[in-house]
Amino acid sequence: MQTQTQEKLKILYSLEEIKEKGFQIKVPIPKERRCPYCNKALMPKGILNPIDKSIHIFLQNEKCNCSKATEEQNKIQMEREKQLLKDYEEFRKEKLNKKIKQFYGTEFITEQFRKQTLESFITNKENLKTKLAAMKFIQKFKNKEMKKGIIFVGQNGTGKTHISVAISNELMKENVPVIFGTLTDLVEKYTKSYQNHTDGELTKLYAKVDLLIIDDLGVETMNDWMLSKLFVIINERMKNELPTIITTNYNLEELKIRLSIPNKVCETPNSIISRLCSMCYRVECKGNDYRIN
């Protein structure tokens, strides 16, 4: 019964089967083709028109199953899959960049932003480690080897923001979706998104953007709403194994205090710091305040 059902559903036939079953051939039979590796004759296959029981279309000849031909077919398939992945990656980046433009426009990409590059980051014996960490991050990111981010810790004027912007500029040259801003910048976008009922999309964007940079974390006076948003963003990025860069003037213990809500006992700051420790390498930025010197 199953064999009869399969036969009824079958529409693709080899030339030998077509002749055996007496199907009429309404188009020219393709020329014989042979395998370039083993010289086996590769026969064409025709599609049966079930209405008049005839062949109106021939497909390309069958594929040879010799080792050399199979190897070449696998190579072609791998190249095709590689191209499909590349096309998808470009599509994914473009889609995220459109979302970034929807919520952010290009407001954070100022002229000053563009000027803060790796080349313009002046190094000395105190801050060389900072630049080397950034260069290593960029290289690993481009090679898709970087899942961890960086916490740049240091006093004002030690180049934390500059080096983070430099990383952004370097990656954005290759169309990498990047969001850069303070925590205040990030959560303020929710005001407009609530009005447009797109707050869920904004959270997904923060959770999935290739690189999120939160500048000067700890300077804000925290409230329940800001703290809950920060936790969701950090937690989602940890689950998605996406790198986050933090710049802050505070060490981890100080940052935990800065993220706490005044006169309120809450475990959320501890949870955030714990996640950041597992998600990021810590780089201490040393030196004098270059803005003053």
Side-chain angles (χ1 to χ4, degrees):
M1 180 66 71
Q2 186 177 3
T3 303
Q4 291 177 351
T5 303
Q6 289 174 340
E7 185 64 31
K8 286 181 180 179
L9 296 174
K10 184 175 178 178
I11 60 169
L12 190 63
Y13 291 87
S14 67
L15 189 58
E16 185 179 341
E17 290 174 320
I18 292 169
K19 292 177 178 178
E20 180 184 322
K21 293 182 178 295
F23 297 141
Q24 285 189 325
I25 300 175
K26 299 290 184 73
V27 291
I29 299 173
K31 292 180 180 179
E32 182 185 89
R33 188 169 68 86
R34 290 184 172 273
C35 174
Y37 306 104
C38 69
N39 204 38
K40 174 185 174 182
L42 304 175
M43 307 306 293
K45 290 189 176 183
I47 298 178
L48 178 69
N49 184 330
I51 297 174
D52 63 1
K53 297 292 183 181
S54 63
I55 304 297
H56 293 265
I57 300 172
F58 276 100
L59 296 181
Q60 65 182 19
N61 298 64
E62 64 179 335
K63 294 178 180 178
C64 186
N65 58 1
C66 75
S67 59
K68 284 285 187 181
T70 301
E71 182 182 339
E72 187 63 24
Q73 289 161 23
N74 289 340
K75 183 179 177 182
I76 292 171
Q77 182 63 25
M78 286 176 65
E79 288 298 321
R80 187 180 293 120
E81 290 175 1
K82 185 178 178 181
Q83 185 61 47
L84 284 172
L85 286 172
K86 184 180 178 182
D87 293 343
Y88 171 76
E89 183 65 7
E90 289 304 314
F91 169 78
R92 185 192 66 81
K93 286 180 180 179
E94 194 61 38
K95 190 175 180 181
L96 278 174
N97 279 321
K98 283 182 180 179
K99 282 291 180 184
I100 292 171
K101 194 170 183 180
Q102 174 188 335
F103 287 103
Y104 277 82
T106 55
E107 61 191 57
F108 68 89
I109 309 175
T110 62
E111 187 61 32
Q112 181 64 22
F113 188 99
R114 291 190 182 94
K115 289 179 180 177
Q116 293 180 320
T117 64
L118 287 175
E119 290 76 17
S120 65
F121 187 84
I122 300 172
T123 56
N124 53 51
K125 63 181 181 180
E126 291 182 310
N127 67 10
L128 180 59
K129 182 180 176 182
T130 301
K131 185 172 183 177
L132 292 175
M135 293 171 67
K136 183 177 180 181
F137 177 89
I138 291 167
Q139 181 183 6
K140 286 197 169 187
F141 191 102
K142 289 181 177 180
N143 293 335
K144 302 185 184 303
E145 298 171 354
M146 180 57 75
K147 293 183 179 180
K148 280 198 169 190
I150 301 175
I151 301 176
F152 287 112
V153 184
Q155 298 302 310
N156 288 326
T158 52
K160 303 183 302 296
T161 297
H162 184 141
I163 204 67
S164 299
V165 173
I167 291 171
S168 301
N169 280 319
E170 196 65 31
L171 295 179
M172 287 166 66
K173 290 177 185 176
E174 299 188 12
N175 209 33
V176 174
V178 177
I179 292 178
F180 180 99
T182 64
L183 178 59
T184 300
D185 294 330
L186 300 184
V187 297
E188 276 185 350
K189 299 301 175 187
Y190 278 103
T191 304
K192 184 178 179 180
S193 69
Y194 286 140
Q195 297 170 357
N196 300 330
H197 306 289
T198 55
D199 51 298
E201 288 184 42
L202 182 58
T203 298
K204 287 180 182 178
L205 178 60
Y206 289 153
K208 293 184 177 181
V209 68
D210 292 34
L211 178 61
L212 176 67
I213 301 176
I214 306 178
D215 192 36
D216 271 339
L217 185 63
V219 299
E220 300 91 351
T221 300
M222 297 299 293
N223 57 44
D224 287 318
W225 183 67
M226 290 179 71
L227 190 61
S228 66
K229 290 298 180 189
L230 178 61
F231 176 80
V232 169
I233 292 168
I234 296 300
N235 190 57
E236 288 301 307
R237 292 191 67 78
M238 182 183 72
K239 289 194 294 185
N240 291 332
E241 296 186 311
L242 289 169
T244 303
I245 291 178
I246 305 289
T247 75
T248 182
N249 295 346
Y250 307 98
N251 64 39
L252 295 179
E253 282 303 316
E254 292 170 336
L255 186 58
K256 191 184 298 182
I257 295 170
R258 293 295 306 173
L259 295 180
S260 299
I261 299 168
N263 304 316
K264 184 174 183 179
V265 178
C266 178
E267 282 299 313
T268 306
N270 293 334
S271 299
I272 291 171
I273 296 299
S274 175
R275 282 161 173 74
L276 288 177
C277 286
S278 69
M279 293 166 62
C280 302
Y281 299 107
R282 183 177 176 277
V283 175
E284 187 176 354
C285 301
K286 298 179 179 180
N288 297 322
D289 190 335
Y290 70 88
R291 300 188 187 98
I292 296 176
N293 294 340

